[in-house]
Amino acid sequence: MKRTLNISIVTTALLSYFACPMFAAAKETNTEFENVAVMKDKTGPSHFEAWNQTKQSWQKEYGLQLGMDYNMLGLHAVDAIGDSSAASGAVRVYGQWDLVKTDSGSTGGVVFKFEHRHKYTETSPKEFGLAELGYIGFVHSLYGDQGFRVTHLFWRQSMLDNRMVTYLGFLDMTDYTDFYPLASPWNDFNNGVFSSGSGTIGGLPDGGLGIMLGGFITDKVYGSASIMDAKGNASDLLQGAEDLFDSGATWKSLEIGYTPSRDMLFIQNAHLTFWQRDEVGNDEEGYGINVNLSGLIEKQWLPFIRYGWAEDGGAMYDSSLSAGFGYIPAQRSEDMFGLAFNWASTMASTFGNIDFEDQYTAELYYRAQVLPWLQLSPSVQVINHTAINFDAIEVGDLENIFIEDKTDVVFGVKARFAF
């Protein structure tokens, strides 16, 4: 590890990176290229039966699908450098409003998701890894304190007998880039290394102005391509669009993949993703490749192996390898057990050209559908890493800035209430 460093550069690079806002539908109207839900969120039953009936009538009469939920996350670390706990919540309203339908069955409409993310404790779970553990990574990347956000607001148009779809507007790239069944931090693994990009995609923009085109090239081969704002600003869409036109900085993706069956696209999937990001702020221009292989065995096991490589572009890691599985219990088809392991190498150019030691992460969780409107998900993460001691940085203690070979155990509980 390099020991020659400027303390102010280190602190500025780390804090600015983790404060960045980027780290942040009807089945019958979706194309064969899309997931069951456009935004990977279920609009399932709630405990307000009359409200459910109202939503169903809106969908039937007006083509409006509407979902709402409230999500909470609490974390506790066994051996934190700072505070040992963090918690926050998020209320979300999301859906799809189909406004155009052709005789061929193609549809066009608006997809939207509005959120308010707020912390309960002094440090949010999104900040918890760096601020309290000295960890270069996210123990959870979404539960922050950003307030009101619009992550999705775009026109969705299906084409060619629903074989293809295009999005135009303010997009979230994780909807169509490097996906696999357990990629959503709202529902499954918490740690960022197990979500879309595996920590090696620079920017991960959401709420960014752009366009995406995707669909099936053959019965088993699909592809997608997109270009969008390199940063995204889900907290202020208009400001984000203005920044895009001022800077011209964009994020681009191209993905090609194979699935043995179209209706199993998001379950049994092998794909190769290429991305490129222009220079943005202190982040250099960069690019990378992601590879995924995931499947379904005996209708219960969901094994996966994923790899990402990157060169600059503001990515967190220059290399990341994950392997694991999900398991659906035989008598509880809406539950999920997950276990995964990751090795990652930190991107030096993103963090003040410091060469950190490799990091190792394991996570186990169980998502239980306790009631039709309530999910509970206990979890545990074990992270071996070189920790950054911000107390030592504040007092200028160069000898103790790094705590090598530190192992942190982080317990978590997520709750989701659907309305």
Side-chain angles (χ1 to χ4, degrees), residues 112-132:
F112 57 89
K113 187 196 285 187
F114 308 109
E115 304 176 347
H116 191 281
R117 303 180 186 179
H118 41 273
K119 62 183 180 180
Y120 305 145
T121 53
E122 183 174 350
T123 302
S124 73
K126 178 180 175 180
E127 303 164 325
F128 185 68
L130 178 68
E132 312 301 348

Side-chain angles (χ1 to χ4, degrees), residues 80-145:
I81 297 174
D83 293 340
S84 60
S85 300
S88 73
V91 59
R92 305 185 302 167
V93 178
Y94 49 88
Q96 179 174 316
W97 191 2
D98 293 325
L99 300 172
V100 177
K101 188 170 184 177
T102 67
D103 293 338
S104 65
S106 297
T107 59
V110 177
V111 174
F112 57 89
K113 187 196 285 187
F114 308 109
E115 304 176 347
H116 191 281
R117 303 180 186 179
H118 41 273
K119 62 183 180 180
Y120 305 145
T121 53
E122 183 174 350
T123 302
S124 73
K126 178 180 175 180
E127 303 164 325
F128 185 68
L130 178 68
E132 312 301 348
L133 307 180
Y135 168 55
I136 303 298
F138 289 110
V139 292
H140 201 289
S141 61
L142 301 180
Y143 283 89
D145 192 41

Side-chain angles (χ1 to χ4, degrees), residues 103-337:
D103 293 338
S104 65
S106 297
T107 59
V110 177
V111 174
F112 57 89
K113 187 196 285 187
F114 308 109
E115 304 176 347
H116 191 281
R117 303 180 186 179
H118 41 273
K119 62 183 180 180
Y120 305 145
T121 53
E122 183 174 350
T123 302
S124 73
K126 178 180 175 180
E127 303 164 325
F128 185 68
L130 178 68
E132 312 301 348
L133 307 180
Y135 168 55
I136 303 298
F138 289 110
V139 292
H140 201 289
S141 61
L142 301 180
Y143 283 89
D145 192 41
Q146 302 101 318
F148 180 74
R149 309 178 83 246
V150 183
T151 60
H152 301 67
L153 188 60
F154 60 84
W155 183 269
R156 170 198 166 277
Q157 183 66 53
S158 64
M159 299 170 289
L160 301 178
D161 294 326
N162 285 327
R163 289 177 62 92
M164 300 193 72
V165 66
T166 186
Y167 300 160
L168 176 62
F170 294 94
L171 313 179
D172 180 348
M173 52 74 64
T174 63
D175 284 343
Y176 54 83
T177 305
D178 192 37
F179 50 77
Y180 79 111
L182 307 178
S184 172
W186 295 111
N187 297 321
D188 295 294
F189 291 106
N190 291 308
N191 198 289
V193 296
F194 302 120
S195 61
S196 296
S198 304
T200 62
I201 292 183
L204 288 177
D206 63 355
L209 185 61
I211 184 171
M212 186 281 297
L213 177 66
F216 277 91
I217 302 169
T218 71
D219 287 344
K220 297 183 178 182
V221 177
Y222 74 90
S224 69
S226 73
I227 181 169
M228 63 184 296
D229 182 2
K231 287 183 63 178
N233 187 348
S235 298
D236 189 338
L237 297 185
L238 295 180
Q239 184 61 54
E242 182 179 336
D243 292 343
L244 169 62
F245 291 122
D246 287 343
S247 68
T250 59
W251 182 92
K252 283 82 75 178
S253 70
L254 178 65
E255 183 165 303
I256 188 76
Y258 170 86
T259 181
S261 171
R262 292 184 186 178
D263 59 354
M264 296 295 287
L265 169 62
F266 282 76
I267 305 298
Q268 293 182 298
N269 174 288
H271 67 247
L272 185 63
T273 305
F274 304 90
W275 64 269
Q276 185 273 335
R277 187 181 188 226
D278 294 339
E279 180 180 351
V280 178
N282 294 325
D283 295 339
E284 301 176 15
E285 184 273 339
Y287 49 89
I289 299 173
N290 291 79
V291 182
N292 173 81
L293 180 62
S294 56
L296 177 65
I297 300 175
E298 296 181 349
K299 299 182 180 180
Q300 288 183 283
W301 296 91
L302 293 161
F304 64 88
I305 183 167
R306 295 164 53 77
Y307 177 72
W309 171 88
E311 179 71 24
D312 301 324
M316 182 175 294
Y317 308 118
D318 57 31
S319 194
S320 176
L321 176 65
S322 298
F325 64 88
Y327 175 76
I328 304 170
Q331 304 303 318
R332 295 188 60 85
S333 60
E334 293 188 357
D335 289 9
M336 181 70 73
F337 170 83

Side-chain angles (χ1 to χ4, degrees), residues 39 47 107 232 303 308:
M39 293 155 296
H47 53 299
T107 59

